[in-house]
Amino acid sequence: MALVFSHTATDPVRLTDAMRSVFVELLVHGPLSRAEVARRLALSPSALTKLTRPLIEAGYLLEASGEEGPATVGRPSQPLQVDASRMSFAGIKLTADELFAVRTDLAATVQAETSRPLAGHDIDHVLGRITEAVEELTVPGRPLSGVGISLAGTATPTDPVVHTSPFLGWSQLPLAELVERAVGVPTVLDNDVRALTAVQQWFGEGVGHSSFALVTVGAGLGCGLVVGDRLVTGQSGATGLIGHLQIDDRGPLCERGHRGCARAYASSPSIRRSIATTIDRPDLTFDDCLALAADGHPVARRVLDEAGAALGQVVATVANLTGPELVVLSGESVHMYDVCAQAFHTALAAHTHWTARPVRVAVKPFAFNEWARGAAVTALQHLLLHR
Amino acid sequence: MALVFSHTATDPVRLTDAMRSVFVELLVHGPLSRAEVARRLALSPSALTKLTRPLIEAGYLLEASGEEGPATVGRPSQPLQVDASRMSFAGIKLTADELFAVRTDLAATVQAETSRPLAGHDIDHVLGRITEAVEELTVPGRPLSGVGISLAGTATPTDPVVHTSPFLGWSQLPLAELVERAVGVPTVLDNDVRALTAVQQWFGEGVGHSSFALVTVGAGLGCGLVVGDRLVTGQSGATGLIGHLQIDDRGPLCERGHRGCARAYASSPSIRRSIATTIDRPDLTFDDCLALAADGHPVARRVLDEAGAALGQVVATVANLTGPELVVLSGESVHMYDVCAQAFHTALAAHTHWTARPVRVAVKPFAFNEWARGAAVTALQHLLLHR
DNA sequence: GGCTTTACTTGACAACGCGAACAAATAACC
DNA sequence: GGTTATTTGTTCGCGTTGTCAAGTAAAGCC
């Protein structure tokens, strides 16, 4: 089930490790000259001529001869770039009651999307909807190179099995194997937050950073870590479980009975619930609550200040412990940042260890299909690197 | 300043990457047959014959032909092991008022130790005491292969500069360069907790685990992380700063004005102070306090229960975030574990994320010279792997 | 005493990447 | 406007590294 690099069926390109690393370098770091790639990978210029030739001949790399850079001394360089259209990947995010799917190219650009409601969690039903979605996304005559599936729970790309998924009620389910058999395309699983981290690592804010953290806010809180250029996968895939980090011991209750945990302060359902029940307007949406806070409504203002402060403390804890170069904020409700930035940064500074440099924080707007895109990138990354 | 592998001055062994990895595998994982090393490193058996021959001829590897394993079918294997006596390293731990130093062999066995009081923190004085200690530890005619220096603060082995060291009042001090010039031996710096983590990684509880965390208790709290077989070095060397992790918001004050932070609950000075002042016996030592708690004295009992609970919460936070296979407890006051194990495990279980498997915890008794030994291992690791 | 199993060694060979020499394409300089 | 400097990229030969296949060694099994 190796990723096939070929221009004709009879003449496949055999990928060596060096070719792979050149390809990934060009995919992630955009058009680069051979000379530049050679420097970055500590290879000789001649090695690059040899390594790139078969990839160019097979059409996976393009000589982007068009653009001229700023005039410089010496022979002008000839930038190479990956032809992103040469492969497609499907990414599928599973939630308790719906499935979101996208098709992306090699550069993780979304080219099609779809979704399916999930009427239940029995595997045959879910498998059926996944197969439908993949078939809908597949262009006839252009088979997918990989399928990625992400979900909340413990799963890793190295392993075709969902260890546990509380919201889907699964445990030890060999989902990747089943999907792979059903759709005939190599399939990779991963935790949803880690998948989102993979997007940032190769195609987002994390590019150029060998270690960073992604903190997500939404229905829950999550955290993905990249350390030494590697996405961290804990034992059986459990990492970044910051949702129930204790913020104080007198705050609101979360649904698992923790008083004052991060989730009780900063998840979007908690924020909405706090405001809506306190001012007795059960119809308020989360975004209504943000608008109220922006307008200075005292209850909404207070709840969002507390949420921002909780988030700041979470980010400080992550930064103190792992020392990332950067923390990226994302998730369905990152836009709450605009309403609570001050409280966030105050708490972040207060909880950053006094001997540590302040960590840089980047806020990444969240697109609706980002979770599914993450799943596609997981597949892409894992199939490019490990097969 | 590369580490020299030679049996005569005229015939040095040029270490290739593969030879290095074989050597390290044998150093860390004890006597192994060639066949076993080949399997572990994904090399062919013939490669191992070739790679080990020069190392055996030069005397760095020994054929431990003596011991017989359990009788098995096939030709018996011929275990190889590193001759630990072939190199020595000095390790030095700097504190605000003293310097502890050890000499170890390649297997990190301590063979000599010494110390010096530090009358001040000006670099010439400290450099003088370091040089004295190194000279005292050096056996005439057997030069050291490396010197490691560890201290509280931000420093990394890749960098000869102490970025900041609050307790010594240093910042941006090129200590490794200065020591290297003074004693004529390659010198490596690192943070003290990371150095201790290196010991566990290669010669302690961490052997065989690709990811684990070390949590230390003593005058402060610290944490070192190994992720994917690599010791984590944050930006400019700041990681594992768990000392001021908030436990609750009504507890004791720490010296930086945090209420209820981990340090205020679980550091040995805080524990001693809480008990000694409350029962008005300022002469009590930390160990007296442990004894009181063990005897059931209500004040001491309560303080140690709270300390154990704080430590449990810290370990849970580390485990939730990074998903280690194992957490090792160590530090000058780990023996407090015996008096507060129950509170520790209760808090650990309560704060472990509900979807995560319980993490395994190993308690590692702490020897007096362990900090200095850590510095020696830092030197050994860095010089073996990166030069 | 063969047979099987596993460990290790040997020598031929393939591949990978480097160095050196060279061609190409530009700016800088006189 | 020609020469020089500079940088990119290519070609070719070579050394290194590690694999493969074949063979040797040393045990237990029957």
Side-chain angles (χ1 to χ4, degrees):
Chain A
M1 284 298 155
L3 216 50
V4 178
F5 274 68
S6 62
H7 55 300
T8 69
T10 58
D11 185 11
V13 176
R14 259 224 326 285
L15 267 192
T16 65
D17 283 350
M19 284 169 72
R20 209 191 298 267
S21 60
V22 169
F23 189 78
V24 170
E25 189 69 23
L26 285 169
L27 179 62
V28 173
H29 297 278
L32 293 174
S33 69
R34 281 169 252 251
E36 177 60 22
V37 175
R39 279 188 293 266
R40 287 170 177 240
L41 302 181
L43 291 169
S44 67
S46 59
L48 258 106
T49 299
K50 286 185 197 168
L51 291 169
T52 54
R53 196 195 314 281
L55 291 172
I56 291 172
E57 281 173 358
Y60 289 94
L61 295 183
L62 302 175
E63 305 200 283
S65 49
E67 317 83 68
E68 286 299 306
T72 127
V73 110
R75 171 175 173 174
S77 66
Q78 186 152 26
L80 298 177
Q81 70 180 76
V82 169
D83 181 357
S85 68
R86 283 303 297 264
M87 291 188 201
S88 305
F89 296 86
I92 299 170
K93 154 82 174 189
L94 296 179
T95 69
D97 44 35
E98 207 166 354
L99 162 173
F100 301 94
V102 297
R103 172 166 52 83
T104 75
D105 63 11
L106 259 171
T109 307
V110 174
Q111 299 185 311
E113 59 183 51
T114 185
S115 66
R116 291 287 185 287
L118 293 181
H121 299 154
D122 68 278
I123 178 60
D124 288 329
H125 175 71
V126 175
L127 210 52
R129 300 297 81 69
I130 290 175
T131 311
E132 278 174 26
V134 170
E135 280 168 5
E136 179 184 334
L137 291 173
T138 305
V139 179
R142 303 209 40 189
L144 296 169
S145 297
V147 172
I149 298 179
S150 77
L151 43 81
T154 47
T156 66
T158 51
D159 192 336
V161 176
V162 176
H163 290 279
T164 60
S165 175
F167 302 112
L168 288 154
W170 293 342
S171 95
Q172 304 302 325
L173 178 74
L175 183 62
E177 247 172 59
L178 296 170
V179 172
E180 191 161 324
R181 210 170 303 155
V183 304
V185 176
T187 300
V188 174
L189 292 178
D190 206 355
N191 168 270
D192 52 358
V193 176
R194 199 158 30 238
L196 216 56
T197 310
V199 179
Q200 296 304 312
Q201 186 187 14
W202 275 22
F203 304 106
E205 296 287 332
V207 172
H209 295 279
S210 71
S211 95
F212 71 95
L214 172 75
V215 172
T216 62
V217 282
L221 278 79
C223 175
L225 295 173
V226 170
V227 170
D229 286 316
R230 296 206 310 210
L231 200 45
V232 176
T233 308
Q235 68 164 349
S236 64
T239 51
L241 304 174
I242 54 171
H244 296 279
L245 187 74
Q246 187 168 321
I247 300 300
D248 63 39
D249 53 346
R250 282 176 288 191
L253 271 174
C254 80
E255 72 285 3
R256 298 202 65 84
H258 302 125
R259 198 163 273 297
C261 74
R263 191 184 171 87
Y265 272 115
S267 74
S268 54
S270 295
I271 291 172
R272 198 203 68 80
R273 193 184 325 121
S274 285
I275 297 171
T277 59
T278 304
I279 65 177
D280 201 23
R281 290 187 45 195
D283 56 304
L284 283 181
T285 66
F286 176 68
D287 285 340
D288 292 339
C289 292
L290 294 188
L292 278 181
D295 284 352
H297 186 291
V299 169
R301 189 63 269 162
R302 175 61 181 258
V303 168
L304 273 143
D305 282 346
E306 288 178 349
L311 198 56
Q313 184 170 341
V314 167
V315 170
T317 301
V318 171
N320 287 336
L321 189 50
T322 65
E325 297 166 13
L326 168 74
V327 175
V328 181
L329 283 185
S330 191
E332 305 99 275
S333 53
V334 240
H335 54 296
M336 74 184 246
Y337 174 85
D338 300 330
V339 189
C340 64
Q342 201 186 334
F344 170 80
H345 285 285
T346 304
L348 174 58
H351 287 90
T352 295
H353 195 276
W354 62 286
T355 61
R357 267 197 286 180
V359 71
R360 191 161 86 74
V361 174
V363 180
K364 186 79 184 173
F366 192 82
F368 159 76
N369 53 21
E370 201 71 9
W371 290 112
R373 187 170 167 241
V377 171
T378 289
L380 183 167
Q381 254 192 10
H382 194 254
L383 294 172
L384 277 184
L385 290 182
H386 301 296
R387 305 232 188 158
Chain B
M1 282 299 153
L3 217 51
V4 179
F5 274 68
S6 63
H7 55 299
T8 69
T10 58
D11 185 11
V13 176
R14 260 226 323 288
L15 267 191
T16 65
D17 283 350
M19 282 168 73
R20 208 191 298 268
S21 61
V22 168
F23 189 78
V24 169
E25 189 69 24
L26 285 168
L27 179 61
V28 173
H29 297 277
L32 294 173
S33 70
R34 280 169 252 251
E36 178 59 23
V37 175
R39 279 187 293 267
R40 288 170 176 239
L41 302 181
L43 290 169
S44 65
S46 60
L48 257 107
T49 300
K50 290 180 194 172
L51 290 169
T52 54
R53 196 193 318 276
L55 291 172
I56 292 172
E57 281 173 0
Y60 289 93
L61 295 182
L62 301 174
E63 305 202 281
S65 49
E67 317 84 68
E68 286 299 306
T72 122
V73 119
R75 172 176 171 175
S77 65
Q78 186 152 26
L80 297 177
Q81 71 180 73
V82 168
D83 181 357
S85 69
R86 284 302 296 265
M87 293 189 200
S88 306
F89 296 85
I92 299 170
K93 154 83 175 188
L94 296 179
T95 70
D97 44 35
E98 207 165 353
L99 162 172
F100 300 93
V102 296
R103 172 166 51 83
T104 75
D105 62 11
L106 259 172
T109 308
V110 173
Q111 299 185 311
E113 59 184 50
T114 185
S115 66
R116 290 287 185 285
L118 293 182
H121 299 154
D122 68 279
I123 178 60
D124 287 331
H125 175 71
V126 175
L127 210 53
R129 300 298 79 69
I130 290 175
T131 311
E132 279 175 25
V134 170
E135 279 169 4
E136 180 183 333
L137 291 173
T138 305
V139 179
R142 303 211 40 188
L144 296 169
S145 296
V147 172
I149 299 180
S150 76
L151 42 78
T154 47
T156 66
T158 51
D159 194 337
V161 176
V162 176
H163 290 278
T164 60
S165 175
F167 302 112
L168 288 155
W170 293 341
S171 94
Q172 303 303 324
L173 178 73
L175 184 62
E177 248 172 56
L178 296 169
V179 172
E180 191 160 323
R181 209 171 304 155
V183 304
V185 176
T187 301
V188 173
L189 293 178
D190 207 356
N191 167 271
D192 52 357
V193 176
R194 199 159 29 237
L196 216 55
T197 311
V199 179
Q200 296 304 314
Q201 186 187 15
W202 276 21
F203 305 105
E205 296 287 333
V207 172
H209 296 278
S210 70
S211 95
F212 72 93
L214 171 74
V215 172
T216 62
V217 282
L221 278 79
C223 174
L225 295 173
V226 170
V227 170
D229 286 316
R230 296 205 310 208
L231 200 44
V232 176
T233 308
Q235 67 165 350
S236 65
T239 51
L241 304 174
I242 53 171
H244 296 278
L245 187 75
Q246 186 167 322
I247 299 300
D248 63 40
D249 53 346
R250 283 177 288 190
L253 272 174
C254 81
E255 71 286 3
R256 297 203 64 86
H258 303 124
R259 198 164 271 298
C261 74
R263 192 184 171 89
Y265 272 115
S267 74
S268 55
S270 295
I271 291 172
R272 198 203 67 81
R273 193 185 323 122
S274 284
I275 297 171
T277 59
T278 304
I279 65 176
D280 201 23
R281 289 188 46 194
D283 55 305
L284 283 181
T285 66
F286 176 71
D287 285 340
D288 293 339
C289 293
L290 295 187
L292 279 181
D295 284 353
H297 185 291
V299 170
R301 190 62 270 163
R302 175 62 180 258
V303 168
L304 272 142
D305 282 346
E306 289 177 350
L311 197 57
Q313 185 170 339
V314 167
V315 170
T317 301
V318 171
N320 287 335
L321 189 52
T322 64
E325 296 166 12
L326 169 73
V327 175
V328 181
L329 284 184
S330 190
E332 305 99 274
S333 53
V334 239
H335 54 295
M336 74 185 246
Y337 174 85
D338 300 331
V339 188
C340 64
Q342 201 186 335
F344 170 81
H345 284 286
T346 304
L348 174 58
H351 287 90
T352 294
H353 196 275
W354 62 285
T355 62
R357 267 197 287 180
V359 71
R360 192 161 85 73
V361 174
V363 181
K364 187 78 185 176
F366 192 82
F368 159 76
N369 53 20
E370 202 71 9
W371 290 113
R373 186 171 168 240
V377 171
T378 289
L380 183 166
Q381 256 193 7
H382 194 256
L383 295 172
L384 276 184
L385 290 182
H386 301 295
R387 305 231 189 157

